[in-house]
Amino acid sequence: MSPESISAAVLVSAGRHPVSGLPRAPGADVAALALGLRLAQDQLRVIHAGDPDEPALRDYLALGATRIEVLPVRDGSERARVLACCLESVDIILTGRRAEGPGSDGLLPYALAHELCLPMAGDILDAEVEHDRLVVRQLLPRGGRRRLALPIRSVLAVHPMAPKGLGYAYARRIAGKIETIVPAAGPGIEARPAGPAPLLGRAGRLSAPDTRSAHERMMAAVAPRLEGGAVVSNGSPLDKAQVILTYLRDNRLVDF
Amino acid sequence: MSSPRRYSPRRQATSGPSGVLRIVLKKRGARRTPSETKPVRLQADPKGWLMAVVHTDRGLLDEHAREAIAAAAILASSGEGVLVAVLGELVEDLAPLGADLVAVFPALEASRFQPEQALAAVRALVKTYTPRRVVLPERAAEGDLGRRLVIAEAAEGEPSFGCDEARYLLLGAGAADPRLPFSGRGEVSSAAALPFVPEVSEVCRDLGREPLDPATLALEEADFIVSAGGGVADVSTVEALARTLGAAVGASRVAVDEGKLPRERQIGATGKTVTASAYVAVGISGAVQHLEGIKECRHVIAINRDAGAPIVKRADLSIIGDAEEVMRALLRRVADAKAQRETPEQG
């Protein structure tokens, strides 16, 4: 498969700034858009499932999407099925790792991959087409990177740390089009009940009830706290170095 | 309702070393010290199960994974046991975290990408034990596995999301307190007792990890950091040590202000907050602003001349002595260790 004939779709969400609450394009979705533009320049479809009048969508136009297709889907878990109906002919499906907001669960790429029977990989930083496969770079915790080989047709959830490198142009924001498309909904589409309602307010930390008596709690509170670990102050520098190396080896922090 | 306990003002008293009278609250023999062995939560064989799924890192669990297991133990009712599925090898005892039964899958470590096989193993456990809830820490590997589990279960017709009681819980970091007043049974299930897991072929092929130069890595991402402070005379020794150990170089504010290291290497309240597994603080006294930045580091090793410095209280291992000498000795020792390791493999 030549790189020119590859089609890709980016599913973008409407984000909200966590502090100001202003509409914005979430970082992971912008990174997915950037990756989509690199993979399939003009073959890229940008799709949003939700409200066509959403102000955050204009940000994607300013960042390089020329046209955004909007599927008017209400909130709920039928999103994956409706999206799957219009994504059957697309090779690479890109999403952000997780939408912003209290109702986001990060399940959409998984549900979509299941509906379309495609493989799925998350936390993607980069992807490129090599012959008949897709080689992606995945972010691992604590500075790791891993390369995976997937079939061309797959679902990728992009990590917010993926490179973006898109310029913002106000002219594109004005000139871009947002079009509402009506999905050819199959007979199988039925609304499933939405997930649990987001809890407002601050949740407490889950902890086991303290069964100690008041006396025991007081004694625990006034007991001298054991702070610090082992202290080595005697011996030659080489002995001290050996102590450090033994500690590193015991805790499996080094592999020699 | 019980009336408040009252003590007689004329009750027995002893005179302390300085002659001050002290009231004896309880008799010496009857005084209970906080016991090391906690009571086991389960009294009888469990009627139902709660489950936690965690990955281990080099055989050990980190704080987030501990919280997930403890959360399952806290949420379990009195008759329910806590089953822990450990993906990757395990070298520690999980009884203090409330685990009653531990199922270890050493081949399913997080360093290899095998989502389908991990999904099959956990699904087999879920089908055998039918836990009321499954708790997973919300982070890269387990978050991925948990979402795959939810979708796989929803596809089989079981409403796992959408009902009042969610079966799968993805627990954020810090959402549960891992200090429990009870312990679990901590039995490790033998490999024969585990449910049969069929071999699943992976669609995605793992091409292996990419070697990354820790020197170019952002400090927030680094797993091993060697950090220099005001007590370091020669920064090049710290850099050499970092290279030898495969670590990133950090700095305290004092070292940065003196121009020894660039500003982007600063760790602390005005610099970066790091989450490394291992943090070696060389010549750093440990001001609160610096300790704030290394709050989430798992193992802190301090090399310092002053045994009374605040970092000694924070560190898991403190070496008191001249930083330069200890670093040079450690460099030699590590070089020896690497050389010894290579010789038997060649021969």
Side-chain angles (χ1 to χ4, degrees):
Chain A
M1 192 180 274
S2 67
E4 292 79 40
S5 64
I6 284 175
S7 61
V10 184
L11 311 183
V12 294
S13 66
R16 291 286 178 271
H17 191 277
V19 178
S20 66
L22 288 174
R24 66 161 188 183
D29 293 22
V30 174
L33 177 67
L35 181 57
L37 287 171
R38 281 204 297 281
L39 284 170
Q41 289 83 19
D42 48 351
Q43 297 278 339
L44 182 71
R45 289 173 69 189
V46 183
I47 300 170
H48 171 70
D51 183 9
D53 300 327
E54 173 59 48
L57 294 182
R58 289 267 157 202
D59 279 358
Y60 297 106
L61 295 175
L63 289 166
T66 48
R67 174 171 168 263
I68 297 178
E69 299 166 49
V70 178
L71 287 162
V73 186
R74 286 189 316 279
D75 279 345
S77 40
E78 79 264 35
R79 262 183 199 182
R81 292 192 184 190
V82 177
L83 280 167
C85 288
C86 66
L87 287 170
E88 268 160 3
S89 57
V90 179
D91 294 325
I92 305 170
I93 300 169
L94 298 156
T95 71
R97 184 177 182 231
R98 189 174 175 176
E100 283 177 346
S104 67
D105 48 19
L107 274 171
L108 180 78
Y110 296 89
L112 205 56
H114 184 266
E115 293 286 338
L116 293 166
C117 297
L118 295 179
M120 187 267 161
D123 289 348
I124 299 304
L125 290 179
D126 201 2
E128 55 186 34
V129 178
E130 276 183 13
H131 307 297
D132 55 345
R133 63 178 190 173
L134 195 63
V135 176
V136 301
R137 183 182 289 130
Q138 191 181 34
L139 182 117
L140 300 179
R142 290 193 298 276
R145 302 281 187 276
R146 176 161 63 193
R147 272 154 47 89
L148 303 171
L150 284 86
I152 295 281
R153 289 210 68 201
S154 43
V155 180
L156 305 178
V158 179
H159 195 275
M161 275 175 63
K164 298 175 184 77
L166 293 177
Y168 186 99
Y170 185 70
R172 284 203 297 255
R173 186 185 172 100
I174 300 300
K177 290 189 187 72
I178 295 176
E179 291 169 10
T180 307
I181 54 170
V182 181
I189 293 180
E190 60 200 47
R192 274 190 271 173
L199 182 71
L200 298 174
R202 212 179 155 81
R205 198 177 188 209
L206 187 64
S207 58
D210 201 343
T211 53
R212 293 177 299 177
S213 67
H215 180 247
E216 280 171 333
R217 273 185 281 131
M218 191 193 74
M219 293 313 281
V222 300
R225 208 165 291 163
L226 292 171
E227 276 184 333
V231 179
V232 180
S233 45
N234 298 321
S236 68
L238 212 57
D239 295 339
K240 291 173 181 170
Q242 182 58 47
V243 173
I244 296 178
L245 188 60
T246 313
Y247 183 88
L248 292 176
R249 278 177 175 165
D250 287 350
N251 291 289
R252 301 179 174 213
L253 298 167
V254 290
D255 51 359
F256 46 79
Chain B
M1 194 180 146
S2 61
S3 57
R5 282 175 74 185
R6 296 194 182 280
Y7 297 108
S8 161
R10 283 175 290 282
R11 61 203 292 244
Q12 198 186 350
T14 55
S15 58
S18 54
V20 178
L21 280 183
R22 292 189 183 280
I23 295 169
V24 180
L25 286 175
K26 276 181 185 172
K27 280 187 187 135
R28 269 281 148 81
R31 186 168 168 176
R32 217 156 29 112
T33 52
S35 56
E36 289 300 308
T37 52
K38 291 172 180 168
V40 176
R41 189 179 58 86
L42 270 187
Q43 301 302 324
D45 277 345
K47 290 184 205 69
W49 292 94
L50 259 74
M51 190 171 160
V53 183
V54 292
H55 278 99
T56 53
D57 179 22
R58 290 164 275 198
L60 301 169
L61 295 172
D62 64 358
E63 196 62 15
H64 199 171
R66 291 170 176 279
E67 285 170 5
I69 300 174
I74 293 166
L75 291 173
S77 62
S78 58
E80 286 174 321
V82 174
L83 167 71
V84 181
V86 175
L87 309 182
E89 57 166 341
L90 180 74
V91 294
E92 63 180 310
D93 179 23
L94 299 188
L97 296 169
D100 296 307
L101 185 63
V102 183
V104 187
F105 298 95
L108 295 175
E109 57 197 0
S111 58
R112 267 184 293 164
F113 188 71
Q114 38 194 353
E116 304 291 333
Q117 189 67 51
L119 182 66
V122 178
R123 290 276 290 155
L125 269 184
V126 168
K127 277 185 180 156
T128 312
Y129 289 91
T130 57
R132 183 166 61 86
R133 285 182 195 276
V134 182
V135 186
L136 299 102
E138 164 69 318
R139 56 178 176 183
E142 288 95 343
D144 183 76
L145 179 60
R147 292 187 170 90
R148 283 177 203 270
L149 277 165
V150 169
I151 296 297
E153 196 154 287
E156 286 194 7
E158 290 180 49
S160 60
F161 58 113
C163 49
D164 291 343
E165 290 250 314
R167 188 176 197 188
Y168 290 93
L169 296 180
L170 287 170
L171 207 68
D177 189 351
R179 292 168 301 169
L180 299 176
F182 51 79
S183 79
R185 292 182 174 177
E187 291 163 16
V188 179
S189 175
S190 65
L194 291 178
F196 170 72
V197 181
E199 282 284 320
V200 185
S201 64
E202 298 284 347
V203 184
C204 308
R205 213 151 55 78
D206 193 342
L207 303 178
R209 283 173 83 107
E210 283 187 346
L212 272 180
D213 182 11
T216 62
L217 203 64
L219 274 179
E220 294 94 329
E221 270 200 87
D223 190 34
F224 199 138
I225 297 174
V226 177
S227 199
V232 173
D234 192 359
V235 178
S236 61
T237 322
V238 176
E239 282 166 348
L241 185 65
R243 258 198 310 281
T244 317
L245 294 172
V249 179
S252 73
R253 188 193 55 80
V254 179
V256 170
D257 281 357
E258 286 175 359
K260 289 173 180 167
L261 282 155
R263 182 66 68 187
E264 73 259 16
R265 294 274 143 200
Q266 184 182 332
I267 294 167
T270 44
K272 289 178 172 172
T273 305
V274 295
T275 55
S277 303
Y279 183 81
V280 182
V282 186
I284 294 177
S285 66
V288 280
Q289 290 86 348
H290 189 76
L291 296 184
E292 187 64 23
I294 61 167
K295 205 167 52 179
E296 285 167 48
C297 292
R298 231 162 97 194
H299 299 281
V300 176
I301 302 173
I303 304 175
N304 208 314
R305 194 175 288 159
D306 179 12
I311 190 101
V312 176
K313 284 191 185 139
R314 166 67 178 88
D316 302 287
L317 174 67
S318 307
I319 305 292
I320 311 301
D322 184 60
E324 188 69 23
E325 283 177 10
V326 176
M327 276 195 293
R328 288 198 181 283
L330 186 58
L331 274 172
R332 270 206 304 281
R333 189 67 200 82
V334 171
D336 288 351
K338 281 185 175 171
Q340 278 166 15
R341 178 66 174 267
E342 279 158 19
T343 321
E345 280 177 2
Q346 284 166 0

